[in-house]
Amino acid sequence: RVMPGEGSEPGPEMSGEVTLDFADAKRYLFIDSFSPMPGMPPISIGSAINGEDQWTGPVSAPMAGVMLRTEGSNDPGRLRTRIEKDMTRLSIALLAGSNVPGVAFTYGGVAESPEGRAEVLDVTGPGGFKGKLFLDEKTSRPMMLQYLEVPRRMAMRRGGPGAPPPQGAGGGHGDPNASAATTAPELKEAQMFLSDYKTEDGISLPRSVTIKVQDGPTEEWTVQKIKLNPVFGADHFKKR
């Protein structure tokens, strides 16, 4: 992951792991684990839907603390919308939205590029998600998902517990008590690129995912493990 820097300069690069547990539209957990600085212990940020409840916050964090400014962390309605939109986006890209009720596709025509032709589907779904899904004309596999996203930014809080947050850093994953933003964050263009498809139990799934967000981070995922139809415990999606 390359975080945004100042001006035209790139920000710091960070490596880590992402875990996605996806039962259905009412049971979803996304954990992002990364080391924000070389030598620093990793921090894990979770976002989840558990029935009618939703939560986001640190699953584990170093003493220095890390804050991610994210939309709606202190407003249950906005938080639910944000997580539903994230869940819908990943479901559409990886599973054609098959496990999320309310996802709808309409044919949008053909797009041409130096890489070839693609069929375009306009797609909508829970959380107010709207995007365009580009399918390889020859294989019908998803190549790219285009959508709007709120860029994530990271702020460091130095010192132990009780240290004041950085000026202007509110509504972060790691700071659930921070005051909510007074204005809605600006949406930016984003693309999710999917490639290196391999078959898992008869289902073709991408093993390489690249996410680019305007004025936000660029992420490259290499899928290491896929388990289809897993069995989750009763407390798996509850806040930790």
Side-chain angles (χ1 to χ4, degrees), residues 8 77 151 181 206:
S8 60

Side-chain angles (χ1 to χ4, degrees), residues 70-88:
T70 55
E71 181 184 6
S73 297
N74 304 290
D75 182 319
R78 286 179 62 189
L79 176 61
R80 182 78 177 203
T81 296
R82 180 179 67 78
I83 298 178
E84 282 186 343
K85 187 179 291 185
D86 291 345
M87 174 187 68
T88 300

Side-chain angles (χ1 to χ4, degrees), residues 103-119:
V103 172
F105 297 90
T106 57
Y107 185 65
V110 176
E112 298 194 31
S113 71
E115 290 75 26
R117 290 162 57 93
E119 304 283 350

Side-chain angles (χ1 to χ4, degrees), residues 89 92-93 120-123 129-134 143-149 188-194 212:
R89 178 180 73 241
I92 291 168
V120 182
L121 300 178
D122 295 317
V123 57
F129 179 84
K130 295 180 180 179
K132 293 181 180 293
L133 183 64
F134 294 77
M143 300 168 54
M144 179 179 71
L145 180 63
Q146 191 176 68
Y147 55 96
L148 296 177
E149 172 73 307
K188 299 287 187 175
E189 292 185 1
Q191 296 89 29
M192 179 186 295
F193 299 92
L194 309 157
K212 297 182 178 181

